[in-house]
mmCIF file of all heavy atoms in Angstrom:
data_model
loop_
_atom_site.group_PDB
_atom_site.id
_atom_site.type_symbol
_atom_site.label_atom_id
_atom_site.label_comp_id
_atom_site.label_asym_id
_atom_site.label_seq_id
_atom_site.Cartn_x
_atom_site.Cartn_y
_atom_site.Cartn_z
ATOM 1 N N LEU B 196 -12.239 17.710 2.209
ATOM 2 C CA LEU B 196 -11.672 18.354 3.393
ATOM 3 C C LEU B 196 -12.214 19.761 3.583
ATOM 4 O O LEU B 196 -12.433 20.222 4.709
ATOM 5 C CB LEU B 196 -10.141 18.385 3.277
ATOM 6 C CG LEU B 196 -9.432 17.041 3.452
ATOM 7 C CD1 LEU B 196 -7.985 17.128 3.002
ATOM 8 C CD2 LEU B 196 -9.507 16.576 4.909
ATOM 9 N N LYS B 197 -12.436 20.450 2.479
ATOM 10 C CA LYS B 197 -12.980 21.809 2.538
ATOM 11 C C LYS B 197 -14.418 21.808 3.035
ATOM 12 O O LYS B 197 -14.810 22.623 3.875
ATOM 13 C CB LYS B 197 -12.898 22.445 1.150
ATOM 14 C CG LYS B 197 -13.411 23.873 1.089
ATOM 15 C CD LYS B 197 -13.241 24.437 -0.323
ATOM 16 C CE LYS B 197 -13.775 25.865 -0.404
ATOM 17 N NZ LYS B 197 -13.627 26.426 -1.784
ATOM 18 N N LYS B 198 -15.206 20.852 2.532
ATOM 19 C CA LYS B 198 -16.624 20.816 2.878
ATOM 20 C C LYS B 198 -16.876 20.293 4.283
ATOM 21 O O LYS B 198 -17.636 20.886 5.056
ATOM 22 C CB LYS B 198 -17.373 19.958 1.854
ATOM 23 C CG LYS B 198 -18.882 19.885 2.109
ATOM 24 C CD LYS B 198 -19.568 19.044 1.032
ATOM 25 C CE LYS B 198 -21.070 18.975 1.285
ATOM 26 N NZ LYS B 198 -21.768 18.146 0.243
ATOM 27 N N LYS B 199 -16.238 19.167 4.644
ATOM 28 C CA LYS B 199 -16.542 18.530 5.922
ATOM 29 C C LYS B 199 -15.819 19.165 7.096
ATOM 30 O O LYS B 199 -16.379 19.278 8.199
ATOM 31 C CB LYS B 199 -16.195 17.042 5.850
ATOM 32 C CG LYS B 199 -16.576 16.290 7.123
ATOM 33 C CD LYS B 199 -16.450 14.794 6.969
ATOM 34 C CE LYS B 199 -16.900 14.075 8.242
ATOM 35 N NZ LYS B 199 -16.802 12.611 8.125
ATOM 36 N N TYR B 200 -14.558 19.596 6.876
ATOM 37 C CA TYR B 200 -13.762 20.107 7.988
ATOM 38 C C TYR B 200 -13.459 21.599 7.880
ATOM 39 O O TYR B 200 -12.700 22.130 8.690
ATOM 40 C CB TYR B 200 -12.449 19.310 8.091
ATOM 41 C CG TYR B 200 -12.677 17.848 8.394
ATOM 42 C CD1 TYR B 200 -12.631 16.897 7.374
ATOM 43 C CD2 TYR B 200 -12.955 17.416 9.681
ATOM 44 C CE1 TYR B 200 -12.837 15.543 7.634
ATOM 45 C CE2 TYR B 200 -13.166 16.072 9.959
ATOM 46 C CZ TYR B 200 -13.111 15.144 8.934
ATOM 47 O OH TYR B 200 -13.330 13.815 9.198
ATOM 48 N N GLN B 201 -14.050 22.249 6.864
ATOM 49 C CA GLN B 201 -13.864 23.690 6.651
ATOM 50 C C GLN B 201 -12.379 24.087 6.609
ATOM 51 O O GLN B 201 -11.953 25.091 7.215
ATOM 52 C CB GLN B 201 -14.565 24.513 7.750
ATOM 53 C CG GLN B 201 -16.089 24.477 7.679
ATOM 54 C CD GLN B 201 -16.676 23.163 8.188
ATOM 55 O OE1 GLN B 201 -16.352 22.752 9.295
ATOM 56 N NE2 GLN B 201 -17.508 22.530 7.390
ATOM 57 N N LEU B 202 -11.586 23.294 5.947
ATOM 58 C CA LEU B 202 -10.156 23.557 5.850
ATOM 59 C C LEU B 202 -9.842 24.363 4.604
ATOM 60 O O LEU B 202 -10.425 24.145 3.544
ATOM 61 C CB LEU B 202 -9.375 22.234 5.829
ATOM 62 C CG LEU B 202 -9.533 21.363 7.082
ATOM 63 C CD1 LEU B 202 -8.818 20.038 6.903
ATOM 64 C CD2 LEU B 202 -9.003 22.086 8.322
ATOM 65 N N ARG B 203 -8.935 25.300 4.744
ATOM 66 C CA ARG B 203 -8.524 26.152 3.632
ATOM 67 C C ARG B 203 -7.000 26.249 3.628
ATOM 68 O O ARG B 203 -6.351 26.006 4.650
ATOM 69 C CB ARG B 203 -9.102 27.583 3.768
ATOM 70 C CG ARG B 203 -10.618 27.674 3.905
ATOM 71 C CD ARG B 203 -11.323 27.335 2.598
ATOM 72 N NE ARG B 203 -12.740 27.632 2.680
ATOM 73 C CZ ARG B 203 -13.654 26.817 3.203
ATOM 74 N NH1 ARG B 203 -13.265 25.634 3.705
ATOM 75 N NH2 ARG B 203 -14.932 27.142 3.236
ATOM 76 N N LEU B 204 -6.466 26.626 2.499
ATOM 77 C CA LEU B 204 -5.024 26.877 2.437
ATOM 78 C C LEU B 204 -4.761 28.272 2.980
ATOM 79 O O LEU B 204 -4.915 29.272 2.281
ATOM 80 C CB LEU B 204 -4.516 26.752 0.996
ATOM 81 C CG LEU B 204 -3.022 27.036 0.802
ATOM 82 C CD1 LEU B 204 -2.171 26.076 1.628
ATOM 83 C CD2 LEU B 204 -2.641 26.932 -0.670
ATOM 84 N N VAL B 205 -4.378 28.348 4.249
ATOM 85 C CA VAL B 205 -4.081 29.606 4.920
ATOM 86 C C VAL B 205 -2.590 29.586 5.282
ATOM 87 O O VAL B 205 -2.178 28.904 6.226
ATOM 88 C CB VAL B 205 -4.944 29.784 6.189
ATOM 89 C CG1 VAL B 205 -4.646 31.137 6.837
ATOM 90 C CG2 VAL B 205 -6.415 29.645 5.862
ATOM 91 N N LEU B 206 -1.794 30.321 4.529
ATOM 92 C CA LEU B 206 -0.344 30.251 4.694
ATOM 93 C C LEU B 206 0.115 30.658 6.088
ATOM 94 O O LEU B 206 1.161 30.202 6.556
ATOM 95 C CB LEU B 206 0.351 31.116 3.639
ATOM 96 C CG LEU B 206 0.187 30.627 2.184
ATOM 97 C CD1 LEU B 206 0.893 31.581 1.230
ATOM 98 C CD2 LEU B 206 0.725 29.210 2.029
ATOM 99 N N SER B 207 -0.664 31.518 6.753
ATOM 100 C CA SER B 207 -0.278 31.953 8.106
ATOM 101 C C SER B 207 -0.345 30.813 9.118
ATOM 102 O O SER B 207 0.231 30.905 10.202
ATOM 103 C CB SER B 207 -1.193 33.094 8.567
ATOM 104 O OG SER B 207 -2.547 32.672 8.622
ATOM 105 N N THR B 208 -1.041 29.724 8.779
ATOM 106 C CA THR B 208 -1.130 28.580 9.695
ATOM 107 C C THR B 208 -0.029 27.552 9.446
ATOM 108 O O THR B 208 0.027 26.529 10.122
ATOM 109 C CB THR B 208 -2.498 27.876 9.565
ATOM 110 O OG1 THR B 208 -2.654 27.380 8.221
ATOM 111 C CG2 THR B 208 -3.633 28.834 9.879
ATOM 112 N N PHE B 209 0.836 27.832 8.466
ATOM 113 C CA PHE B 209 1.974 26.933 8.229
ATOM 114 C C PHE B 209 2.899 26.984 9.437
ATOM 115 O O PHE B 209 3.239 28.051 9.940
ATOM 116 C CB PHE B 209 2.741 27.345 6.978
ATOM 117 C CG PHE B 209 3.896 26.423 6.659
ATOM 118 C CD1 PHE B 209 3.703 25.285 5.892
ATOM 119 C CD2 PHE B 209 5.173 26.684 7.141
ATOM 120 C CE1 PHE B 209 4.758 24.431 5.607
ATOM 121 C CE2 PHE B 209 6.238 25.842 6.863
ATOM 122 C CZ PHE B 209 6.025 24.705 6.090
ATOM 123 N N SER B 210 3.310 25.821 9.917
ATOM 124 C CA SER B 210 4.147 25.742 11.107
ATOM 125 C C SER B 210 5.480 25.075 10.783
ATOM 126 O O SER B 210 5.533 23.877 10.497
ATOM 127 C CB SER B 210 3.429 24.947 12.210
ATOM 128 O OG SER B 210 4.295 24.694 13.291
ATOM 129 N N ALA B 211 6.555 25.879 10.859
ATOM 130 C CA ALA B 211 7.896 25.325 10.649
ATOM 131 C C ALA B 211 8.257 24.360 11.774
ATOM 132 O O ALA B 211 8.948 23.354 11.554
ATOM 133 C CB ALA B 211 8.920 26.452 10.572
ATOM 134 N N ASP B 212 7.760 24.649 12.984
ATOM 135 C CA ASP B 212 8.040 23.778 14.128
ATOM 136 C C ASP B 212 7.405 22.405 13.925
ATOM 137 O O ASP B 212 8.041 21.371 14.166
ATOM 138 C CB ASP B 212 7.503 24.417 15.409
ATOM 139 C CG ASP B 212 7.785 23.560 16.635
ATOM 140 O OD1 ASP B 212 8.969 23.288 16.906
ATOM 141 O OD2 ASP B 212 6.817 23.155 17.309
ATOM 142 N N TYR B 213 6.138 22.398 13.471
ATOM 143 C CA TYR B 213 5.482 21.121 13.215
ATOM 144 C C TYR B 213 6.167 20.388 12.059
ATOM 145 O O TYR B 213 6.293 19.158 12.087
ATOM 146 C CB TYR B 213 4.000 21.330 12.894
ATOM 147 C CG TYR B 213 3.326 20.069 12.396
ATOM 148 C CD1 TYR B 213 3.252 18.932 13.196
ATOM 149 C CD2 TYR B 213 2.793 20.004 11.109
ATOM 150 C CE1 TYR B 213 2.658 17.765 12.734
ATOM 151 C CE2 TYR B 213 2.204 18.844 10.643
ATOM 152 C CZ TYR B 213 2.132 17.725 11.459
ATOM 153 O OH TYR B 213 1.555 16.571 10.985
ATOM 154 N N PHE B 214 6.631 21.127 11.060
ATOM 155 C CA PHE B 214 7.338 20.511 9.947
ATOM 156 C C PHE B 214 8.578 19.770 10.449
ATOM 157 O O PHE B 214 8.834 18.623 10.071
ATOM 158 C CB PHE B 214 7.732 21.568 8.914
ATOM 159 C CG PHE B 214 8.614 21.053 7.814
ATOM 160 C CD1 PHE B 214 8.155 20.113 6.907
ATOM 161 C CD2 PHE B 214 9.924 21.501 7.686
ATOM 162 C CE1 PHE B 214 8.970 19.627 5.901
ATOM 163 C CE2 PHE B 214 10.750 21.025 6.678
ATOM 164 C CZ PHE B 214 10.269 20.078 5.783
ATOM 165 N N ARG B 215 9.332 20.413 11.337
ATOM 166 C CA ARG B 215 10.528 19.774 11.895
ATOM 167 C C ARG B 215 10.156 18.536 12.707
ATOM 168 O O ARG B 215 10.802 17.482 12.600
ATOM 169 C CB ARG B 215 11.305 20.765 12.765
ATOM 170 C CG ARG B 215 12.085 21.815 11.973
ATOM 171 C CD ARG B 215 13.028 22.590 12.879
ATOM 172 N NE ARG B 215 12.292 23.388 13.853
ATOM 173 C CZ ARG B 215 11.893 24.642 13.645
ATOM 174 N NH1 ARG B 215 12.174 25.251 12.497
ATOM 175 N NH2 ARG B 215 11.242 25.296 14.580
ATOM 176 N N LYS B 216 9.124 18.668 13.529
ATOM 177 C CA LYS B 216 8.690 17.532 14.344
ATOM 178 C C LYS B 216 8.227 16.365 13.481
ATOM 179 O O LYS B 216 8.561 15.203 13.735
ATOM 180 C CB LYS B 216 7.548 17.963 15.277
ATOM 181 C CG LYS B 216 7.985 18.794 16.459
ATOM 182 C CD LYS B 216 6.785 19.323 17.242
ATOM 183 C CE LYS B 216 5.904 18.214 17.761
ATOM 184 N NZ LYS B 216 4.756 18.726 18.550
ATOM 185 N N SER B 217 7.446 16.671 12.447
ATOM 186 C CA SER B 217 6.904 15.617 11.601
ATOM 187 C C SER B 217 7.999 14.900 10.820
ATOM 188 O O SER B 217 7.955 13.688 10.634
ATOM 189 C CB SER B 217 5.848 16.174 10.640
ATOM 190 O OG SER B 217 6.416 17.141 9.774
ATOM 191 N N VAL B 218 9.022 15.668 10.394
ATOM 192 C CA VAL B 218 10.135 15.049 9.675
ATOM 193 C C VAL B 218 10.986 14.220 10.625
ATOM 194 O O VAL B 218 11.407 13.100 10.295
ATOM 195 C CB VAL B 218 10.997 16.118 8.962
ATOM 196 C CG1 VAL B 218 12.266 15.496 8.393
ATOM 197 C CG2 VAL B 218 10.203 16.780 7.841
ATOM 198 N N ASN B 219 11.236 14.745 11.842
ATOM 199 C CA ASN B 219 12.052 14.018 12.815
ATOM 200 C C ASN B 219 11.427 12.671 13.167
ATOM 201 O O ASN B 219 12.117 11.648 13.253
ATOM 202 C CB ASN B 219 12.246 14.846 14.092
ATOM 203 C CG ASN B 219 13.218 15.987 13.893
ATOM 204 O OD1 ASN B 219 14.053 15.947 12.992
ATOM 205 N ND2 ASN B 219 13.112 17.015 14.719
ATOM 206 N N TYR B 220 10.105 12.686 13.371
ATOM 207 C CA TYR B 220 9.427 11.422 13.674
ATOM 208 C C TYR B 220 9.326 10.561 12.406
ATOM 209 O O TYR B 220 9.585 9.356 12.423
ATOM 210 C CB TYR B 220 8.018 11.673 14.227
ATOM 211 C CG TYR B 220 7.245 10.385 14.439
ATOM 212 C CD1 TYR B 220 7.366 9.662 15.619
ATOM 213 C CD2 TYR B 220 6.412 9.876 13.441
ATOM 214 C CE1 TYR B 220 6.674 8.476 15.815
ATOM 215 C CE2 TYR B 220 5.725 8.682 13.618
ATOM 216 C CZ TYR B 220 5.854 7.999 14.801
ATOM 217 O OH TYR B 220 5.175 6.816 14.976
#
Side-chain angles (χ1 to χ4, degrees):
L196 288 167
K197 181 178 179 181
K198 181 179 180 180
K199 184 170 183 179
Y200 297 100
Q201 290 76 53
L202 298 175
R203 304 289 189 276
L204 178 60
V205 182
L206 294 179
S207 61
T208 61
F209 182 87
S210 171
D212 181 59
Y213 170 61
F214 173 65
R215 285 191 294 270
K216 285 173 59 179
S217 62
V218 171
N219 286 337
Y220 175 86

